[in-house]
Structures are given as C-alpha cells and as structure tokens.
Amino acid sequence: MAFAIVTTFTGCGKQSGTTKAERTENALANYVAPGEKDEYYLFYSGGHSGQVFVAGIPSMRHIITIPVFAPYPATGYGFDEESKKMMADFTWGDVHHPGLSQTKSKYDGRWLFVNDNANNRIARIDLRDFKTRQILGPIPNSIGNHGSSFITENSEYILCATRFSTPLPKGRVADPKDYEKEFSGMVSGIKVDPQTGEMSVGWQILTPPFDWDLGSTGKGPSSGWAFWTSYNTEMAHETLEVNSSQKDRDLAAVVNWRAAEKAVADGQATLMDGVPIIDPAKVPGVLYFLAIGKSPHGMDVDPTGKWIAAGGKLQPSTTVINFEKLQAAINAKTFEGDMRGVPIIKYDAVVEGEVPVGLGPLHTQYDGKGFAYTSMFIDSNITKWKMPPWSDEEKKDLNKVVLDKMPTHFSTGHLVVAGSDTAEPYGKWCVAMNKLSAGRHINVGPSQPESSQLIDISGDKMKMVADAFTEPEPHFAQILKVSEIEPQEVLAKADNKDPNAVWEKDQTGVTREGTNVTAKLIAIRSRFVPDRIEAQVGDELTVHVTNVEQTRDMIHGFGVIEQNVNLVMDPGETKTFKLKLTKAGVFPFYCTNFCSALHQEMQGYLIVRNAGEAPPPPATAQN
Ligand code: K7E
Ligand code: CUA
C-alpha cells in the first residue's frame, strides 16, 4: 500500500497540483528545525472557546493558549480569585478580533486587546507575560460587541460598534415589532490609559438599530476617523436572512472620533448609565453614513490611510473608497439625503472603483507594497489585486488589476497579512482562516477541527506553503515580529506586589479569626510549606500560595482533591483562592505541574473536621 502511494507521487510528480520541487521548497519555507525558532507570533482568536491562541510563523505550531473569557485549568485561569473576579459570573465569551496596541500606527508590543461578542466585553492581554490583565464590561448601553477591537493610531481608544440592538437604557423592555422605534445601536470609544493600558468607557454615539459589522481605524490622511459596515439597514427584526437583504445598498458608518471626543469635552453629550452619549443628529460632524454594497462585511483601511476596501458578502466585487474624495464630499456636503438627521454621503462621489475580486468578498488585508488580498467566502480563495492609483486603461476594466487567485480550503473568513493594519506591514506572510475544513484533517468524526493555511505572498504569485490545524473557532488574527517584544522571564520578587506573598518559612502558616481561616503557603521544589491546613466545616478558607522560585519555567500548581480548586503559579507569583468548607474529610492537595524529579512528592493535606471535633488550628507553620 505504502509502495503504491510512493509510486503515485513519483509517477506523475504531483500532488495537490504541486510538483515535487515545489513541495520541497514549500516544506523548507515552513520548516523550523529543532533548536531554531519562529520569526513571528500569530495571535488568533478562539471564537466561542473564549480564548486566544498563539502559534509561531512559519511553523504554524500552536505554542500556547491564552485564556481570556473562559476558565482554563492548564494555567489555573478562572480558579484563583483575581481571574474569577475579572470573569465575573461568565464562563464563556466569543472572541473575534484581536488588536495589538499601536504607537504612531505601528505595533508597540505592549498589549493585545480582544472583544467578546457574546457578553459585550473587551479584554487586555499584557505582552510582558502573555496574561489577561483586565476585562472591561459588559459595556453599558450596548449589546453584542462584535465590531471591535479597533485600535486608534496611538492606542488612544479601542473603538467598538454593536452587532445587536436593544431598548435603552438597558433593562427596559420593548416589543421587537417596534424595533425601528424602540431599539438602538451604539458606537463606543473605550479609553486606554497610555501608561497602564487600563481601559474605561470614554463616550458613546447613539445609532439606528442597524447591525454594525466589521470596521477599522484611519491613519495618515484618515487620522481620527473610523469606519464600519452594517447589515440590516432595513431594520428588520425577524427572518433577517431574507428581510435584511432587501436593499441594494447598506449604510456604512463614517465616524470622526476626534470630533466625538471634542463634543464630549464641550458638554454636548448626555449621560446614560454613567456614560456621555452623543446624539449624532444634534452634534453634526461626528457621524456620517455611506451607502455601500449589499450586506457588506469587512471595511479595511490600507497602510497609507488613503484607501478603504469594503467587502460585500453577496456581491462579486469589493468597493474601494478614496478617503480624500470622502473628505471632500463631507466638506462640500455632497449628500444624498439623511437617515435620522445623519447625512448620507453620495456613493459616486467617493468610490474609486469596484474591483471584481470574485464571489463573497469578506475581508481585505494589505502588504504595504501596493497590493491587497481579499478573502472570498463563496469562491473559497484569496484574491490578490493592485491598489490604486490605477491607469486609465485599468480604470476602464478593473479585471486588469486582479492579479492572482489562490484556492483555499474552504470558505475563508478572515485572513491576516503580517502587519496589515499598521503603516508599515511586514508583508511576507498571509494566513487564511477557513470556516470549513472538510477533508483536510485525518478523520476525527462528524466535527472537524478548523483549518488555517500559510501563504507566502513575497513573490508575484501567492504560494500555498502549509495547511495547519486550528482550534475552533478562528475569526481575525494579528501577526507580530518576535524580535519586537521581550517578555519577562520570571516575575521578580521585588515586582510581586501581592500583600499576601510569603518568601520565608517563618512568614507562612495557618491563622484563624472566627470562622475565617487563612493559609499562606510557599511552593518550592519539591514541597509546600506548610503542607497541612487544618480547618472545620463551616469555615471560610482563604489560601495564598507563593511560588518562590526565581528560575524561568519553574511553575508549580496547587490542586485540591474534590474541591474544584487548581491554581498555577509562575515563578515569583502569588495566587489566592477562597473556599467555603461544606464537607468533612481529609483532602490531599498536590502540585499539578511536573516540576522536578520529586514532583510527585509535592503534596499535603487539607483536613476539614466536623465542628466541635477540631483541635484549635495552630497559628504558625507546622513543618
Ligand atoms: Cu470578523 Cu468572523 Cu466576527 Cu468576518 S467576523 S469572518
Ligand atoms: Cu511543583 Cu510539581
């Protein structure tokens, strides 16, 4: 059998349409030899897994999972008090669009922001330790945080738009049949502290109840602006599949976020649920509408800030908007009426061309060398096309600017070109994130893993280099050069600001105040100090564990049998859990990370006696 396969390869010299020489070349392009390292990080969204995955490029190996909106026992996330508090009462989220922080429209390697479409939140991951440090939300006055996280040029704001609409203020009930009148959408400016990255809700702009879709922020000439597509300009409230695809054009939002910021400073906003809200009909210049192709999806600003490509899920072309013309149309009031007091910019005045890229264009990315790459959901490919300025001949027949098509497998949603959303893309790699993978993996039953594909875009023609496995369910991703960040190796003792951290044996111990029992433990190869915690039924137990190691990668865990507790401490880190003790017994605890030859020996006991049978718990360490 094996022989037969080999003969097939050598017999025709081809498989999947590539020659043996091409296959060898692609394999080498993707190969990272033992001991060598990848050149880029790929941060890709985990969709409704609530997580962010990190892979290396070009190997496409999944390196780590960063838990954000869902518990992840492997790193103890969602079990300690700090992460539980961040997650509030939610145990899942729907991560769609990671956005790296930027300074002067370039990645500055500080933070990665991700949105939660499901529970209306936004999270910040610190790139010093690749850990989630803040979750903001649910964001007030808005529902369905899908149209984010779009970072402004200097990370002043993360801009968000709502996918769903709701009666406002939140908590008020109206019948969906009164959708047009009673429901509202929202654009939010989430302020980012330039020093700490701490997010807070800055201001909001009230919108009609369209379903806002994907967007992006301006730069260069379009500095201070942001753009979103929408579907359901029809404002249908049922059977959207049919009712939201009635009109030939849907309205995109063109937002002047600097004007919004100024309007709030000038007192032109009213407070709702503590947030300044701008009514765009009363504050001209903050919001404009632009009618673009039917049921659009992505709306992507190019690295120069001059061109914006808008996809159209049900169209055969992507629309290229010229920002300078857009600006001129706004200044000259070249409008075609208004929608609820918000001017609608005249389409013909701002469109540079409709590029016939293929069927179902979703998202566009740029390589910074004058080329764009659009993902085609229906055609299942990526189309490379030439950006404007176009010659007169090209303008007459825009088929001439469509340069290359690369089949993908299958139904590509997002694609990412390295650095596309910055002023200086790296440009070398493109990753296609496919919605379906039918047949691309070994059979694991009815539910197939997702697939992603690494494409070399450095030459004239795109080259399909590798198929990769992808955890469900990727939407967008960001690519960052490894050399641009230097994550910390350990948490230095001096940087551990936890007041309950303990470093020496005589600082450890178990103390009681009424029914509150507090244990402070040290974890070190290969023991816990103390290794016994005495308490009784009805107690509130608080345990602080400090991993006192200062050696990179020397991680200890703290799992308690039958108590649903699992902490994991990085070197130098302290974590805390609280437990209401409800059942008597002796519950072993143990280190969950294989840390040394005597890792198995790293264990102890939580002893919970029935009230009345307990000896008074000792006030100091026991071993
Ligand atoms: Cu950005 Cu998947 Cu949320 Cu397009 S969405 S595919
Ligand atoms: Cu510590 Cu295993």
Side-chain angles (χ1 to χ4, degrees):
M1 193 62 194
F3 179 73
I5 290 169
V6 171
T7 9
T8 315
F9 283 179
T10 45
C12 65
K14 281 201 168 214
Q15 204 227 9
S16 311
T18 51
T19 64
K20 195 175 171 189
E22 284 167 338
R23 287 158 66 87
T24 307
E25 196 187 325
N26 290 342
L28 284 175
N30 170 236
Y31 184 59
V32 176
E36 291 176 4
K37 287 176 186 159
D38 280 301
E39 197 182 347
Y40 301 90
Y41 296 103
L42 171 68
F43 296 95
Y44 54 115
S45 66
H48 48 283
S49 77
Q51 299 166 335
V52 168
F53 305 118
V54 184
I57 292 179
S59 77
M60 293 303 280
R61 292 175 198 141
H62 176 183
I63 311 167
I64 57 160
T65 293
I66 304 175
V68 184
F69 298 114
Y72 188 58
T75 62
Y77 188 84
F79 295 86
D80 65 284
E81 294 305 308
E82 196 187 342
S83 57
K84 270 200 308 208
K85 197 173 153 206
M86 274 197 298
M87 290 168 65
D89 291 330
F90 300 105
T91 54
W92 79 293
D94 191 358
V95 176
H96 280 240
H97 310 106
L100 286 162
S101 59
Q102 300 194 9
T103 301
K104 294 187 180 153
S105 297
K106 284 202 287 185
Y107 298 145
D108 60 20
R110 303 210 286 167
W111 308 298
L112 180 74
F113 299 97
V114 293
N115 65 318
D116 169 16
N117 175 47
N119 299 313
N120 217 28
R121 294 173 294 170
I122 191 137
R124 182 184 81 251
I125 294 163
D126 196 316
L127 294 180
R128 282 174 301 186
D129 56 9
F130 283 51
K131 294 208 180 353
T132 303
R133 290 299 177 204
Q134 189 194 359
I135 295 177
L136 178 82
I139 300 168
N141 311 317
S142 60
I143 288 277
N145 182 25
H146 182 249
S148 75
S149 327
F150 306 123
I151 318 288
T152 57
E153 299 128 271
N154 294 294
S155 306
E156 297 95 337
Y157 290 96
I158 304 153
L159 299 178
C160 313
T162 48
R163 171 175 170 188
F164 303 111
S165 289
T166 191
L168 291 177
K170 270 188 194 174
R172 188 171 74 83
V173 175
D175 197 301
K177 73 176 171 19
D178 299 321
Y179 186 82
E180 275 195 54
K181 201 171 100 234
E182 296 288 351
F183 286 55
S184 295
M186 199 68 82
V187 167
S188 300
I190 306 296
K191 217 170 162 39
V192 179
D193 183 285
Q195 258 70 51
T196 63
E198 192 73 11
M199 301 175 286
S200 57
V201 184
W203 39 258
Q204 296 181 311
I205 304 167
L206 192 70
T207 77
F210 305 158
D211 294 52
W212 296 110
D213 212 5
L214 265 283
S216 58
T217 55
K219 58 173 86 69
S222 52
S223 168
W225 293 80
F227 314 90
W228 283 269
T229 60
S230 75
Y231 57 95
N232 197 20
T233 303
E234 295 82 355
M235 296 184 275
H237 66 278
E238 58 187 3
T239 330
L240 260 62
E241 182 189 8
V242 178
N243 293 333
S244 76
S245 305
Q246 298 298 309
K247 295 189 179 166
D248 277 339
R249 298 205 178 281
D250 273 303
L251 296 176
V254 176
V255 172
N256 184 338
W257 63 262
R258 278 196 219 279
E261 192 178 45
K262 186 169 181 298
V264 172
D266 293 348
Q268 290 177 284
T270 48
L271 280 186
M272 195 196 304
D273 204 357
V275 182
I277 306 232
I278 299 161
D279 178 346
K282 294 187 189 135
V283 187
V286 167
L287 176 67
Y288 300 90
F289 292 136
L290 171 65
I292 50 168
K294 187 174 188 155
S295 301
H297 192 51
M299 189 151 186
D300 300 288
V301 176
D302 88 313
T304 68
K306 201 175 156 189
W307 311 104
I308 308 155
K313 287 177 293 197
L314 303 176
Q315 286 208 134
S317 61
T318 195
T319 306
V320 181
I321 295 151
N322 180 334
F323 183 79
E324 281 163 10
K325 289 185 185 170
L326 186 85
Q327 190 75 74
I330 288 171
N331 291 340
K333 296 192 164 37
T334 315
F335 301 142
E336 46 185 34
D338 74 286
M339 167 78 201
R340 296 192 180 176
V342 174
I344 301 173
I345 301 163
K346 209 162 179 207
Y347 178 80
D348 295 335
V350 304
V351 170
E352 193 70 10
E354 293 175 353
V355 182
V357 285
L359 260 189
L362 293 188
H363 301 281
T364 297
Q365 296 272 285
Y366 308 93
D367 64 5
K369 294 179 228 154
F371 302 105
Y373 302 80
T374 301
S375 59
M376 233 57 61
F377 183 80
I378 298 174
D379 276 353
S380 258
N381 69 29
I382 286 174
T383 299
K384 175 180 179 177
W385 50 278
K386 185 177 163 244
M387 304 275 305
W390 296 313
S391 67
D392 288 342
E393 208 175 309
E394 285 167 339
K395 273 187 206 160
K396 257 182 256 149
D397 177 11
L398 282 176
N399 282 300
K400 293 207 169 83
V401 306
V402 177
L403 303 175
D404 191 22
K405 290 190 179 182
M406 170 56 71
T408 50
H409 305 276
F410 293 94
S411 295
T412 306
H414 273 277
L415 77 172
V416 60
V417 166
S420 170
D421 52 354
T422 71
E424 291 173 19
Y426 312 129
K428 185 172 170 188
W429 295 110
C430 170
V431 177
M433 283 162 282
N434 307 320
K435 294 298 182 199
L436 301 171
S437 64
R440 299 302 279 192
H441 299 298
I442 50 176
N443 193 348
V444 291
S447 174
Q448 288 274 299
E450 315 290 327
S451 91
S452 55
Q453 295 179 297
L454 181 69
I455 300 166
D456 178 350
I457 54 164
S458 59
D460 286 347
K461 294 278 171 201
M462 291 178 275
K463 274 193 267 179
M464 181 60 76
V465 168
D467 265 22
F469 150 82
T470 304
E471 294 254 14
E473 142 121 16
H475 294 271
F476 190 42
Q478 296 266 271
I479 296 173
L480 180 66
K481 224 182 198 145
V482 168
S483 59
E484 286 181 15
I485 57 172
E486 212 170 327
Q488 63 193 22
E489 304 207 340
V490 291
L491 177 62
K493 187 176 164 183
D495 292 336
N496 180 332
K497 303 291 184 215
D498 192 316
N500 295 302
V502 285
W503 304 93
E504 306 295 339
K505 190 176 165 185
D506 61 8
Q507 298 170 318
T508 66
V510 184
T511 52
R512 169 182 290 275
E513 246 179 78
T515 55
N516 292 317
V517 174
T518 303
K520 293 185 180 179
L521 277 71
I522 279 174
I524 188 166
R525 276 164 285 172
S526 301
R527 54 162 61 180
F528 294 105
V529 184
D531 63 1
R532 206 140 304 179
I533 301 170
E534 282 271 4
Q536 58 186 32
V537 173
D539 283 346
E540 297 275 355
L541 175 66
T542 304
V543 179
H544 310 282
V545 189
T546 303
N547 175 355
V548 300
E549 307 274 0
Q550 291 283 282
T551 308
R552 185 180 202 183
D553 204 27
M554 198 40 69
I555 296 163
H556 297 291
F558 187 88
V560 190
I561 305 275
E562 288 188 8
Q563 297 289 352
N564 199 36
V565 169
N566 177 43
L567 304 182
V568 176
M569 286 74 53
D570 281 1
E573 196 177 32
T574 303
K575 279 192 180 164
T576 297
F577 73 86
K578 287 183 199 288
L579 200 59
K580 171 94 181 161
L581 299 175
T582 55
K583 51 184 178 182
V586 175
F587 305 96
F589 54 78
Y590 69 104
C591 175
T592 48
N593 278 66
F594 212 108
C595 52
S596 69
L598 296 177
H599 151 82
Q600 289 292 90
E601 283 76 356
M602 194 165 170
Q603 61 181 52
Y605 296 100
L606 164 65
I607 301 167
V608 186
R609 296 172 202 264
N610 279 310
E613 56 176 63
T620 52
Q622 295 168 9
N623 57 323

